[in-house]
Amino acid sequence: VVEPFAVRLDRGNAAGIVAGFDVVVDGVDNFAARFVVADACEAARKPLVSAGVLAFYGWLTVLEPWKAGPDGILNPGLRHLLRRPEQERAGAETGILGVVPGILGTLAAAEVLKLVAGVGQPLVRRMLSVDLTDMSFDSTGYERDPVTDGLP
């Protein structure tokens, strides 16, 4: 079921939109909106499947920062990965190869199915990096950064 929202996502309406779903996938094209979605998901305790693309590259992860991992430490949130929204400017003019969003979207859908079905190991605390220039896929672990806790 596809439910369109004829509104611009912002801090004022994000919580209401996110509340109606079990899992959220961010398909946004800017860091400001990405942080709005991540903050709303964290507040509502909704898993966020987050992906980004640039040129021939992409990344994918699952964020559940209200849950503790096996080590008892809370999982990282988006602000532990992307500390400064200004980072988006670095690649703003590079562009995107059209197939990259399709590939990352398909991988994101697989993460949603894993979360909903309770199958496999979601990409929590792991980031899948995709490089289509040499067709490589790499998974890298990451941890919560206490320096970023509490930052806006």
Side-chain angles (χ1 to χ4, degrees):
V1 175
V2 174
E3 185 177 342
F5 292 91
V7 297
R8 183 175 184 89
L9 184 73
D10 60 31
R11 294 207 180 277
N13 61 18
I17 292 171
V18 164
F21 299 93
D22 295 325
V23 178
V24 175
V25 179
D26 72 7
V28 300
D29 63 356
N30 66 78
F31 278 48
R34 189 177 301 280
F35 280 104
V36 168
V37 172
D39 291 345
C41 287
E42 184 171 353
R45 295 179 173 241
K46 305 284 183 169
L48 174 61
V49 178
S50 186
V53 297
L54 180 64
F56 286 84
Y57 311 97
W59 58 268
L60 175 69
T61 191
V62 175
L63 301 169
E64 295 179 321
W66 64 92
K67 288 185 178 179
D71 56 7
I73 298 171
L74 289 175
N75 292 324
L78 185 66
R79 294 179 191 282
H80 296 97
L81 291 174
L82 306 172
R83 294 189 182 115
R84 291 185 226 101
E86 304 86 46
Q87 290 172 334
E88 105 179 273
R89 285 187 276 245
E93 300 192 11
T94 304
I96 297 169
L97 179 66
V99 299
V100 180
I103 292 167
L104 270 294
T106 300
L107 293 170
E111 287 300 299
V112 170
L113 293 173
K114 287 167 39 181
L115 288 164
V116 172
V119 174
Q121 183 180 359
L123 286 169
V124 176
R125 290 189 183 199
R126 293 183 301 137
M127 181 174 294
L128 179 67
S129 299
V130 178
D131 179 349
L132 297 181
T133 63
D134 64 4
M135 209 48 91
S136 62
F137 291 71
D138 190 29
S139 178
T140 306
Y142 61 89
E143 297 296 325
R144 189 173 189 100
D145 179 358
V147 172
T148 59
D149 285 342
L151 291 178

